[in-house]
Amino acid sequence: MKPTRVRYGVVGFALSLAILSYVQRVAISQAAGPISAELHLSKQQMGLVFGAFGLSYALFEIPMGLLGDRLGARRVLAQIVLAWSVFTALTGAAWNVGSLWVIRFLFGAGEAGCFPNLTRMLSQWLPAGERVRAQALMWACARWGGAVTPPLALLAINLFGWRWSFVAFAALGVVWCLAFLSWFTDSPADHPQVNAAERDLLRDSHALVSHELPQRWYRIILQPQVALLMLQYFAFSYVWYFYITWLPSYLREARGLSAAASAGYAVLPLLAGGFGSIVSGSLPLRWSRRVIAFAGFAATAVLLLFVPHVASVEGAMALMAAASFASDLTMPISWNTCVEIGRRYTATVAASMNMLGNLAGFVAPVAGGMILERTGGNWALLIYTMSGFAAVSALCWLFIDPARAEKRDPVLPIEAAPQL
């Protein structure tokens, strides 16, 4: 009997939600101009509104991951997508800076559970080789979703105005939620379209995610392996956030480009990063993921060192795009490692790692601003700092080894694994 392919429908839901989450979170950056004009917001107030998302996203990562591990991905994803879609729509109802800040804070709290619970969902529905490739596709879609959002948001604002454009984006989330609830089940064994061959194919994946570890969740995230995983993701994110915060300013001030030209060049690292995730997921399983991660971050560190010394903007951006490609080779590896280490607490470990990544999203822009202000606009020093953080990520992968978890605590056979 050939296995059915219901699991590919699960991948489709994961990819579409990854794109949707980035579209809904990035849309406000394009709407910042008309929002500021209508609500009379200063740059500082708009910055506080932007920061509300990152703050709540980091604060609610672990609680949302714990909830997914306890209740299952189906229930939690449906609830949070519906909740954040409501707050996306309510963004269009804001009347002052306070109301807008609260709405965006609650929106971020909802989105905090997205990727940890998607990781848990994929880990239960896919065998190991397909799981890595699905993570690669998911993060590529997320990167590319962020890249296409500005023109999409601009089109919506021109058609509906900024207030109703958020309602339109929210409607997409409601549609996704209804389709997901009508089709998805947490366990492949409960899905009516899955045949016996596909259930057998997914037997080990179910055992991995259902395997109860001897430690409680907070002891899991305090393990040295998890701490290193969180540290490497913080350092990775410190570099990545430059591409969506300071890069347009760098191109205008250090490279002398116009606003339109800088916007075009600024897309390149996001596009290249998406391809990096795709390539990583396509590599043979026999290749060591630790070696790939170390090499990717080491290459990023070296490439960034050369960026300030290249005279042409084309050459500098080619190096930066290559650096983004190299570092995003590690994205599916990092998230799959959360499964291998976390198991029953997959969503919790993934949430802990992503919490540190989003903390870097707060630290990196602030640190970059301080460096530029105190050095009179020394962009080279800022880029050298990014290179140093990439080197830290590379060093972490000399010690991260998911195989240690398997040796210390082997997975139970499926018959002995507790049911969720």
Side-chain angles (χ1 to χ4, degrees), residues 116 223 257 264 275 360 371 381:
Q223 289 181 1
L257 297 183
F275 285 113
I371 290 171
L381 180 59

Side-chain angles (χ1 to χ4, degrees), residues 179-204:
F180 180 72
L181 281 173
S182 67
W183 185 85
F184 179 77
T185 62
D186 279 317
S187 174
D190 296 332
H191 200 290
Q193 298 174 15
V194 174
N195 66 6
E198 190 171 26
R199 284 196 295 272
D200 288 341
L201 181 66
L202 302 178
R203 186 177 296 269
D204 290 342

Side-chain angles (χ1 to χ4, degrees), residues 13 70 206 220:
F13 274 106
R70 181 180 295 273
H206 177 73
I220 297 296

Side-chain angles (χ1 to χ4, degrees), residues 27 31 88 153 155-158 160-170:
T88 297
L155 175 63
I157 291 169
N158 289 335
F160 312 119
W162 73 267
R163 292 185 181 275
W164 284 103
S165 66
F166 283 102
V167 176
F169 287 133

Side-chain angles (χ1 to χ4, degrees), residues 10 14 64-77 113-126 131 135 138-139 180 184-188 205-213 335-336 338-340 342-351 418-420:
V10 175
M64 290 300 182
L66 281 169
L67 202 62
D69 284 330
R70 181 180 295 273
L71 302 179
R74 181 180 187 273
R75 181 174 172 182
V76 173
L77 281 173
C114 179
F115 289 101
N117 283 288
L118 284 179
T119 296
R120 178 178 178 84
M121 182 177 81
L122 293 176
S123 66
Q124 191 159 3
W125 267 91
L126 297 173
R131 186 170 65 232
Q135 284 282 358
M138 184 175 73
W139 285 105
F180 180 72
F184 179 77
T185 62
D186 279 317
S187 174
S205 298
H206 177 73
L208 180 66
V209 178
S210 301
H211 180 56
E212 189 70 56
L213 293 172
W335 285 83
N336 191 62
C338 294
V339 180
E340 296 174 324
R343 304 185 191 180
R344 172 66 176 81
Y345 296 110
T346 287
T348 304
V349 172
Q419 301 298 310
L420 292 178

Side-chain angles (χ1 to χ4, degrees), residues 21 135 186 215 328 410 418:
S21 70
Q135 284 282 358
D186 279 317
Q215 303 99 327
D328 265 26

Side-chain angles (χ1 to χ4, degrees), residues 4 71 96 103 144 152 154 204 268 320 335 351 353-354 365 388 409 412:
T4 47
L71 302 179
N96 59 19
I103 291 168
W144 295 336
L152 184 64
L154 183 61
D204 290 342
L268 294 178
M320 200 166 284
W335 285 83
M353 184 185 76
N354 206 28
D409 184 31
L412 297 171

